[in-house]
């Protein structure tokens, strides 16, 4: 369920309480260092870190072997675990999910999403701005993108630590997407965060 940080105790208090709540949320989200995941962490360490700050439930786990990039090399063991986030101070929507991907047992990708209703755009932008501020502390190069096509629209930022396109990929992407359906009541927003770091893995930029 979506968190409500304002306790409406008195008529004159909501604004003050809401401002105080937003400040607390920012501090907690920063303290979590959610966007400082270390490439190469193994699965137990990754899940233990997430467990420190969020209540989670395992939804799915898959394992497959990817073809090696060079002939004569071993295949790459690719593992994916998906968790439902039951409680988080960084994702303020509902139906929150996080997916971790590992190559040869080493973390190289994390994807998070949070869903909002059609009338919750102010909440989307509040959460978007919070995450944008936190991500910029680790990735100083950013590129703004407009998402538009068919029934989908939105805004995205790609963040990098270096402008060198030949370097192993180390990036974060933040975006919100509005999906229009034939049933107006089912229109919704998704807030999404993607983290990728291929250092210390055999994964290449062409297939992350």
């Amino acid at each position: 369920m979506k968190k409500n940080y304002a306790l409406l105790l008195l008529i004159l208090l909501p604004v003050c309480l809401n401002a105080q709540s937003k400040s607390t949320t920012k501090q907690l989200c920063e303290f979590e260092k959610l966007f400082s995941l270390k490439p190469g962490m193994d699965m137990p360490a990754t899940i233990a870190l997430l467990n420190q700050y969020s209540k989670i439930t395992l939804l799915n786990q898959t394992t497959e072997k990817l073809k090696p990039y060079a002939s004569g090399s071993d295949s790459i063991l690719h593992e994916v675990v998906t968790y439902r986030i039951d409680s988080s101070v960084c994702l303020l929507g509902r139906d929150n999910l996080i997916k971790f991907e590992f190559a040869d047992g080493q973390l190289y990708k994390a994807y998070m999403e949070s869903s909002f209703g059609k009338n919750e755009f102010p909440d989307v932008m509040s959460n978007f701005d919070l995450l944008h501020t936190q991500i910029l502390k680790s990735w100083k190069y950013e590129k703004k993108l407009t998402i538009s096509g068919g029934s989908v629209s939105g805004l995205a930022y790609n963040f990098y630590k270096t402008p060198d396109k030949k370097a192993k990929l180390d990036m974060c992407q933040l975006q919100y997407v509005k999906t229009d359906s034939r049933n107006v009541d089912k229109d919704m927003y998704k807030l999404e965060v993607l983290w990728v770091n291929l250092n210390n893995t055999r994964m290449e930029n062409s297939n992350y």
Side-chain angles (χ1 to χ4, degrees):
M1 293 179 59
K2 181 181 175 183
K3 295 182 176 179
N4 180 5
Y5 292 99
L7 301 177
L8 303 180
L9 299 178
L10 296 171
I11 295 177
L12 298 179
L13 286 181
V15 174
C16 296
L17 289 175
N18 187 53
Q20 182 180 11
S21 173
K22 287 182 178 180
S23 176
T24 301
T25 298
K26 290 180 180 180
Q27 292 173 4
L28 289 173
C29 189
E30 180 179 8
F31 173 74
E32 285 188 1
K33 300 186 182 303
L34 185 58
F35 308 106
S36 298
L37 295 168
K38 296 180 181 180
M41 291 176 65
D42 61 21
M43 190 180 299
T46 301
I47 304 309
L49 178 63
L50 180 62
N51 260 320
Q52 290 182 31
Y53 309 110
S54 304
K55 295 180 180 179
I56 59 176
T57 301
L58 179 65
L59 297 180
N60 190 41
Q61 183 171 353
T62 62
T63 302
E64 64 176 338
K65 290 186 177 181
L66 303 179
K67 293 181 179 180
Y69 291 99
S71 59
S73 300
D74 294 332
S75 58
I76 298 173
L77 180 64
H78 181 233
E79 299 172 280
V80 181
V81 290
T82 304
Y83 283 86
R84 181 181 73 235
I85 303 178
D86 300 312
S87 173
S88 172
V89 296
C90 285
L91 299 177
L92 306 182
R94 61 182 69 85
D95 299 326
N96 299 329
L97 297 176
I98 186 163
K99 179 170 68 175
F100 293 113
E101 297 191 36
F102 300 84
D104 297 327
Q106 297 180 312
L107 178 69
Y108 76 95
K109 183 192 295 188
Y111 167 80
M112 294 167 282
E113 72 172 34
S114 189
S115 299
F116 296 80
K118 65 174 183 177
N119 297 320
E120 296 179 311
F121 184 68
D123 296 326
V124 175
M125 290 309 301
S126 176
N127 204 167
F128 186 88
D129 292 341
L130 168 63
L131 296 173
H132 183 261
T133 299
Q134 297 302 322
I135 294 171
L136 274 176
K137 294 179 180 180
S138 297
W139 289 270
K140 66 177 183 178
Y141 298 97
E142 66 175 355
K143 181 178 181 180
K144 185 177 180 180
L145 304 170
T146 300
I147 302 172
S148 179
S151 61
V152 176
S153 60
L155 178 68
Y157 284 95
N158 285 349
F159 303 88
Y160 304 92
K161 291 186 177 179
T162 174
D164 183 4
K165 295 182 179 180
K166 294 182 180 180
K168 276 267 193 175
L169 196 62
D170 180 359
M171 68 164 287
C172 188
Q173 181 183 77
L174 170 68
Q175 67 179 31
Y176 73 81
V177 177
K178 182 178 184 290
T179 302
D180 298 316
S181 64
R182 293 181 180 180
N183 185 341
V184 178
D185 292 333
K186 293 185 178 180
D187 290 355
M188 64 181 301
Y189 290 93
K190 276 192 180 294
L191 185 65
E192 301 172 319
V193 182
L194 174 68
W195 170 89
V196 180
N197 192 321
L198 302 185
N199 291 300
N200 303 317
T201 75
R202 292 189 289 151
M203 300 294 286
E204 298 290 342
N205 292 3
S206 59
N207 184 25
Y208 71 87

